[in-house]
Amino acid sequence: MKRLLLIVTALGVGALLVWNFLPRSPAWTNEHRALVATPELEVVRTGHLRSARLAQVTADRVYASEDLFLFAGGHGDDGLSSTITYEQPVGAIARVKHVLGRMRLARMLRGYMGADRLVQLGTGTVVMSYKGALYRATQGGEAFDKVFTLPDGIDIHPLAMTRDASDNVYFGEFFEAKPGRIASVWKGTDDGRTWQKVYTYPVDQIGHIHTIVYDRFRGRLWIATGDLDQQSEIAWTDDGFATLHLLVRGSQDYSTCNLIPLPDGLVWATHGSVARGKVMRYDFGADKVETLADINRAIWFATNLQDGTLALGTVYEPLAPISTADALPKEIALMVSRDGRRWTEVEKFAAVASNEHLGASIGYLAPGNADANVLYYTPFSVEGADNNSVLRYEIHWRAPAGTQ
């Protein structure tokens, strides 16, 4: 009996070790869940990738992260098979920590969701921000190399990193907005190897930088800041931040974490933490700003698809003035629109308390989704099996543009 017990114990320990050290290759759980079916619109949820956070979308790939790993795969793949770790250890002790720290059990106990700030260059190189540093991996690389350490107390908003047509990478500093602080923009060159500060805002002009986006239609970079009325502005540069041109400033209508350049306009969804969230549009031809829709919730992430679909993810912030004053429901939602004026709720999720982002529940979207016709979304800090997973949607408009 003792011998049998020893054999069973050995087999159990062996199985646990194998499970711990086998590389994780997240697989899509294929679904066909019809969420919206109207004469104008059909939305189907087609996939679920468990325990991974959406990091970025490109024309041919989707990136997701979990703890110290980044996964990537094609839009039609069964899973995300490419795995890259964030750093190669140096020295015996570091190698032991590296191995133990990347065990599945250790990752589960830590509960880190991984990186959510990533840019893929034209060379295939990936540049990513994670826990106070920038990392770089070449195409096919098995690990990231640390190339830049952020100044103390500085972070990068998930939407404040982008690249231009020349493969220069830009990011804006994000930190707790306090009097006397100054925010800067940094530029990465040489395929993400070399970094330098290229622009600094005057002291107290802004609180921090929310987003930087490349506009391929006009060959310029857009930047948005916040949070207070006088700190909220949208500006642009076409010379790498040698000069900065103001578009609008001085209102919660211009406090946004997202900017969507279009052929004839610029669309954004307002932050919505102090005043109710809206969808706004600047018309280049008419040189004016207009309100497209009142969403009445906080919004951090918004994106568009190749077919022109607009998508946004609402946020529930339990400590935000808008949440406490208006007793908003404890939920977040994914919404889509064709013209920015009429929005359809695709799916909503019950919010739960979070130990990140001041307890907020967030809907993650990727700005790079504009190059694809599949929508990816991560609901963070919500109830149920969809929590901290990547969800995949197909969207089909049945009516001609302008008739939604």
Side-chain angles (χ1 to χ4, degrees):
M1 187 67 183
K2 288 184 178 180
R3 185 177 180 181
L4 179 60
L5 183 60
L6 287 173
I7 292 173
V8 171
T9 302
L11 289 173
V13 171
L16 180 61
L17 288 172
V18 170
W19 176 80
N20 262 302
F21 287 104
L22 278 177
R24 182 185 175 217
S25 296
W28 287 105
T29 298
N30 291 320
E31 302 176 312
H32 189 84
R33 189 186 304 181
L35 300 173
V36 179
T38 70
E40 298 80 24
L41 172 65
E42 178 186 29
V43 182
V44 178
R45 196 168 112 175
T46 62
H48 179 170
L49 196 73
R50 191 177 299 276
S51 299
R53 176 183 288 179
L54 180 65
Q56 187 54 284
V57 180
T58 68
D60 58 354
R61 308 193 92 189
V62 55
Y63 290 90
S65 64
E66 181 259 328
D67 198 79
L68 301 174
F69 291 88
L70 181 72
F71 308 102
H75 296 302
D77 292 352
D78 293 332
L80 306 188
S81 57
S82 177
T83 305
I84 308 174
T85 57
Y86 295 173
E87 264 192 304
Q88 289 287 20
V90 177
I93 295 178
R95 282 195 292 271
V96 172
K97 291 176 63 178
H98 177 86
V99 171
L100 294 177
R102 281 146 186 78
M103 292 172 59
R104 288 194 182 188
L105 183 59
R107 303 201 311 268
M108 288 174 62
L109 291 174
R110 278 196 303 267
Y112 294 165
M113 282 312 299
D116 55 12
R117 310 161 185 86
L118 181 150
V119 172
Q120 177 185 295
L121 304 183
T123 59
T125 294
V126 172
V127 178
M128 181 190 69
S129 167
Y130 182 71
K131 290 190 177 296
L134 296 180
Y135 297 85
R136 173 183 176 275
T138 57
Q139 191 170 29
E142 294 182 355
F144 283 91
D145 295 319
K146 185 186 291 187
V147 292
F148 183 74
T149 300
L150 299 177
D152 288 344
I154 300 297
D155 201 353
I156 303 174
H157 192 280
L159 294 175
M161 178 183 283
T162 193
R163 73 175 179 96
D164 63 17
S166 301
D167 265 357
N168 299 308
V169 183
Y170 296 86
F171 76 81
E173 294 180 346
F174 186 87
F175 41 69
E176 185 179 358
K178 293 182 177 180
R181 300 199 70 168
I182 55 175
S184 298
V185 177
W186 293 76
K187 177 181 179 180
T189 55
D190 189 24
D191 205 44
R193 296 181 182 89
T194 306
W195 294 86
Q196 62 177 333
K197 190 181 295 186
V198 292
Y199 185 81
T200 298
Y201 282 89
V203 62
D204 289 335
Q205 178 172 318
I206 66 169
H208 43 223
I209 298 169
H210 282 158
T211 187
I212 303 178
V213 174
Y214 179 66
D215 182 346
R216 59 186 171 187
F217 302 107
R218 282 157 283 271
R220 63 178 61 165
L221 292 158
W222 292 94
I223 185 168
T225 65
D227 286 325
L228 303 178
D229 285 6
Q230 66 271 22
Q231 299 169 333
S232 300
E233 62 180 56
I234 299 173
W236 61 271
T237 179
D238 57 7
D239 54 15
F241 287 95
T243 57
L244 195 60
H245 307 273
L246 184 67
L247 179 71
V248 288
R249 186 172 191 268
S251 164
Q252 287 300 301
D253 286 352
Y254 314 136
S255 179
T256 180
C257 299
N258 55 82
L259 295 167
I260 303 175
L262 300 174
D264 58 354
L266 182 71
V267 171
W268 64 90
T270 64
H271 196 181
S273 296
V274 177
R276 288 178 174 271
K278 303 176 183 178
V279 178
M280 311 292 296
R281 179 178 181 271
Y282 174 74
D283 186 313
F284 287 100
D287 188 26
K288 69 174 184 179
V289 176
E290 62 175 329
T291 300
L292 298 182
D294 293 312
I295 303 299
N296 298 327
R297 301 296 301 271
I299 306 157
W300 292 2
F301 290 80
T303 190
N304 59 323
L305 302 187
Q306 200 173 48
D307 68 355
T309 297
L310 299 172
L312 63 83
T314 65
V315 174
Y316 177 73
E317 297 178 274
L319 302 180
I322 192 70
S323 300
T324 55
D326 292 2
L328 294 176
K330 296 180 179 180
E331 63 186 27
I332 64 173
L334 172 65
M335 305 177 72
V336 297
S337 174
R338 203 172 196 185
D339 59 7
R341 300 181 185 277
R342 289 164 289 182
W343 289 83
T344 299
E345 185 179 277
V346 171
E347 198 167 10
K348 63 183 179 182
F349 307 84
V352 297
S354 162
N355 58 4
E356 296 185 38
H357 307 295
L358 298 178
S361 297
I362 306 166
Y364 281 84
L365 293 161
N369 229 137
D371 294 321
N373 268 333
V374 180
L375 180 64
Y376 298 93
Y377 172 79
T378 289
F380 171 79
S381 193
V382 299
E383 293 182 0
D386 293 331
N387 182 45
N388 297 337
S389 297
V390 181
L391 308 180
R392 183 179 62 196
Y393 302 85
E394 290 186 0
I395 298 169
H396 305 283
W397 298 99
R398 294 168 170 165
T403 62
Q404 178 197 350

